[in-house]
């Protein structure tokens, strides 16, 4: 099984951006956590992708068709605004898990709508960077690993 982890805008600023909400670990640490989880779960491969651009995220989802078995996605701010990302996830039909570092359900009102989540079979929030490990485990279970 091959997995793709997609991260949206500003996640490259982990460790700098609002550490009281997102913690002090860097994006590089997030990548390490994902790679370690993939190894522990016995995945054949994992790619961790980040972009601040909605179109690049849509392109990467479309490119995943036929090449990956599952997606873990943190659309970040696009969670609440991007029908394009929702449509791309629905178009490819790849099993996906939505993940958020913070407990978005406890935050501002505008964060209560998740378009991307409408195409995901599970959602993990508020577990910090370790939420990615949880999300990858849910994906692996869904795919029969």
């Amino acid at each position: 099984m091959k997995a793709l982890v997609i991260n949206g805008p500003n996640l490259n600023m982990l460790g700098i951006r609002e550490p009281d909400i997102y913690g002090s670990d860097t994006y590089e640490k997030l990548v390490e956590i994902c790679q370690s989880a993939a190894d522990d779960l016995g995945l054949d491969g994992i790619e961790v992708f980040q972009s601040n651009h909605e179109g690049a995220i849509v392109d990467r989802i479309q490119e995943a068709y036929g090449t990956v078995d599952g997606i873990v996605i943190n659309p970040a701010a696009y969670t609440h605004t991007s029908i394009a990302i929702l449509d791309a996830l629905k178009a490819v039909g790849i099993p996906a898990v939505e993940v958020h570092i913070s407990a978005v359900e406890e935050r501002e009102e505008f964060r209560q709508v998740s378009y991307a989540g409408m195409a995901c079979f599970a959602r993990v929030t508020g577990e910090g960077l370790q939420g990615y490990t949880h999300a990858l485990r849910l994906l692996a279970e869904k795919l029969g690993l």
Side-chain angles (χ1 to χ4, degrees):
M1 182 187 100
K2 293 182 182 177
L4 171 63
V5 176
I6 298 175
N7 290 296
N10 298 310
L11 285 163
N12 58 311
M13 300 298 288
L14 285 174
I16 298 168
R17 177 185 177 213
E18 301 179 274
D20 54 318
I21 295 174
Y22 301 104
S24 58
D25 286 326
T26 64
Y27 185 74
E28 291 74 23
K29 179 67 174 179
L30 170 60
V31 172
E32 289 173 18
I33 287 169
C34 291
Q35 291 170 336
S36 178
D39 291 344
D40 292 346
L41 291 165
L43 301 179
D44 297 326
I46 189 166
E47 175 192 348
V48 183
F49 172 83
Q50 189 276 328
S51 180
N52 294 319
H53 305 281
E54 182 179 28
I57 294 168
V58 170
D59 288 345
R60 188 62 196 96
I61 293 168
Q62 291 177 357
E63 291 164 2
Y65 183 76
T67 64
V68 302
D69 301 293
I71 295 173
V72 168
I73 185 166
N74 182 344
Y78 291 134
T79 302
H80 323 292
T81 63
S82 182
I83 295 169
I85 291 173
L86 166 64
D87 287 348
L89 288 167
K90 288 169 61 177
V92 298
I94 299 169
V97 177
E98 178 184 14
V99 64
H100 296 281
I101 296 167
S102 69
V104 290
E105 64 278 2
E106 298 173 4
R107 294 184 61 196
E108 303 93 337
E109 183 67 27
F110 71 87
R111 296 188 195 275
Q112 303 312 305
V113 174
S114 172
Y115 290 108
M118 295 174 188
C120 296
F121 71 87
R123 184 179 205 214
V124 176
T125 69
E127 297 181 18
L129 299 188
Q130 290 305 318
Y132 285 80
T133 299
H134 183 183
L136 284 164
R137 188 172 58 253
L138 291 170
L139 186 62
E141 289 170 3
K142 174 81 169 177
L143 297 173
L145 277 185

